[in-house]
Structures are given as C-alpha cells and as structure tokens.
Amino acid sequence: FDGEGRWMPGEPVFAPAGDGEGEGWLLTYLHDRDGGPSRFAVFDATRLESGESAVITLAHVCIGPAFIHSRTR
C-alpha cells in the first residue's frame, strides 16, 4: 500500500481468519494528508500488494495518523 502520497495509515489491527499462517485481515484508519475525511480500510493480510479489500469513507477527519492504537485482552 503506497497511499498515493496522500493516505497515511494508522496502526493496523490483525483479525485472524482461516487456519493458514497469516490468513486474516488488517484493519486500519487512513488519514488524509490533504485534510479530507478519513477512511477505515480493510486489507487481505495475504495480499497486501492488491490494496484495500474494502474502504469506508468516514463523515469526519480523524485527528492525525496516530489516533488509534490496538489492544488485546
């Protein structure tokens, strides 16, 4: 994911799926360096070079690229 020089990803969270090594999804917010609405993006962890599998454009701008941190229980 190169972000086209515009999109800066936040810290991703891995959501496992399947039994294979690394099978699952990477979930992250994308901060728009141009000041537009942020995005929530889903990537196939086994095919990152394919880009986003799904994108949701948010109705607001999230503050900076480091606005969310993953946590486990």
Side-chain angles (χ1 to χ4, degrees), residues 24-42:
W25 306 97
L26 288 178
L27 314 173
T28 190
Y29 285 99
L30 300 176
H31 173 72
D32 184 355
R33 292 179 182 172
D34 293 340
S38 299
R39 294 179 174 177
F40 179 77
V42 179

Side-chain angles (χ1 to χ4, degrees), residues 5-73:
R6 176 179 174 185
W7 299 102
M8 180 182 296
E11 181 179 356
V13 175
F14 179 72
D19 295 327
E21 178 69 26
E23 286 183 6
W25 306 97
L26 288 178
L27 314 173
T28 190
Y29 285 99
L30 300 176
H31 173 72
D32 184 355
R33 292 179 182 172
D34 293 340
S38 299
R39 294 179 174 177
F40 179 77
V42 179
F43 294 85
D44 181 334
T46 62
R47 297 185 307 194
L48 290 175
E49 68 281 355
S50 297
E52 305 98 323
S53 297
V55 176
I56 299 169
T57 300
L58 304 176
H60 58 280
V61 175
C62 294
I63 300 171
F67 46 79
I68 189 167
H69 294 279
S70 62
R71 135 183 161 174
T72 58
R73 292 180 180 222

